[in-house]
Each structure stands twice: as structure tokens, then as C-alpha cells.
Amino acid sequence: MSTRMNNAEPFVKSNGKTATANARRARPRAPGDTEEPTISEPADIITTIAASLRRERERAGLSLAELARRARLAKSTLSQLESGAGNPSVETLWALSLALEVPFSRLVEPPLPDVHVIRAEEAAYTRSEEAPYRVALLSPCPPGARRDVYRVLAEPGAARVTTTPHQAGVREHVVLCTGRALVGPLDAAVELGPGDYAAYPGDIPHLFRALEAGTAAVMVIEHR
């Protein structure tokens, strides 16, 4: 698992002016793009991650060194994240959520108001370091519920393979919106087209691989 991180850099609009944090957008990652995958905008998510990591680590009674050991990260990497200086990949955040035994959403989302709307162009995406794949958390698991809702954008290329499974009992639900994709357990993946739905265990190795350009899906991760 990679522990590399990029520091956020200013985003410059086409007119040469530096954009504000909330106006920044992540560019799609093309097959073969070697840029380190990071959290995309809004940039405030980095501050949220820093506060959430400290909160959940202290709640669990873990030292920086112990959480880093459990997540297989360098202590300095974790320290950067908690200080708000790091910009983690989706794989790093999944490793930390597993080590803390909390849903992924607990680390990336602040509390939501009663009525919450995310416009398509406003979603904050996390890129994979393994495939042309981005995911945006749309609805985190609220108190009394056990599910997270994501939007997935992916392009043809390497499959996004989850080799470190989620917590025991987790189940993934995918509705494909556009394009085509191969999804599911490594030994039983199925091809989906627009409108197709699939559910499969998330606590075993599984994959998501776009077969057409512009593939998009809604994913629900159900915790039991």
C-alpha cells in the first residue's frame, strides 16, 4: 500500500487567476496518468479529515504510532494528515478507517444539515492510485443507519481492486448510470450496463473496472 502524499497546490483557472478553494475541481485521471491520486475539492475536506482522524484516534485510545502501525503507514504520514498538511489517497483513507473500525465516511464528512444538496459539479472526489477511478461520498452513515452513498466516475484502464476488504459483513450495492463496467468479487465479477444493479460482499477482494469512457455509477456500502 502506498503511503505517499501530495501537498495541495494552487489551482489556476484558464484565465491565469488562482481559483478559490471551493471553486477548485479535480481533473479526470486518464489511463496511464502517474500523478499521485489525492482528495479533490472542496479543499475544506482536508481540514475535515485532519479533525476526524484526531477525534477517532483519541476515541479509540490509540497513539499516533499505534494507529500508523495498524494502518501500515509511516508515523510521519499520519502526523501530516492530522495536522492538515497531507493530501491522502483513497487507499490511505480506507486503511485508516479499517484500523479505526469506523466507516470511511466518518473520516471525510462533517455533520450534515437536515436538507443537504450536492450539485453534480460540487462533489469532492477521491482518486484511486491504482486505476482511472474516482469516488465522491454523497451521504455518510448517519446515527442509527449503517450505510454510505457514493458517486463513482471511472474510465477504461486498470481495474480498481479492493484487496484489503471492508469490515466483516459489509455489502456493496452498485447501480450503473452510464457506460459499462465489470464489478463484484474477483472470481465472480459481472458486467453491468446503464440501469443495471448488482450487490455483492464487500468483505472479500472485489473490483470495479470501467469498460467504456464516461462510466458513472451510484454505490451504496452497507455496514452490518
Side-chain angles (χ1 to χ4, degrees), residues 27-193:
R27 66 170 177 80
R29 184 176 183 230
D33 188 348
T34 58
E35 178 185 341
E36 176 68 12
T38 58
I39 298 295
S40 64
E41 288 310 314
D44 286 348
I45 195 173
I46 302 299
T47 301
T48 297
I49 289 170
S52 298
L53 280 173
R54 287 193 301 271
R55 181 191 66 235
E56 295 302 325
R57 179 175 62 78
E58 291 170 0
R59 178 196 57 79
L62 299 176
S63 65
L64 271 171
E66 177 59 18
L67 177 56
R69 185 190 68 80
R70 294 186 183 189
R72 299 182 181 180
L73 301 173
K75 182 180 175 181
S76 59
T77 296
L78 182 56
S79 179
Q80 280 186 292
L81 290 178
E82 287 200 3
S83 69
N87 196 1
S89 68
V90 64
E91 287 79 12
T92 295
L93 290 176
W94 275 121
L96 286 165
S97 70
L98 288 170
L100 289 165
E101 298 183 350
V102 298
F104 179 92
S105 59
R106 194 80 59 83
L107 301 182
V108 299
E109 279 292 311
L112 298 178
D114 289 340
V115 177
H116 183 61
V117 177
I118 300 176
R119 303 299 179 187
E121 69 277 7
E122 296 174 347
Y125 287 88
T126 306
R127 297 180 187 171
S128 169
E129 63 184 358
E130 302 168 351
Y133 173 100
R134 295 185 293 154
V135 59
L137 177 64
L138 300 180
S139 176
C141 185
R146 301 289 292 169
R147 61 61 189 146
D148 300 323
V149 181
Y150 299 85
R151 180 191 299 139
V152 173
L153 301 179
E155 298 295 332
R160 161 76 174 122
V161 179
T162 303
T163 54
T164 303
H166 307 307
Q167 293 92 337
V170 167
R171 193 164 178 82
E172 292 191 0
H173 304 260
V174 175
V175 177
L176 203 74
C177 302
T178 59
R180 302 194 70 82
L182 191 67
V183 304
L186 295 185
D187 60 353
V190 295
E191 184 174 330
L192 300 183

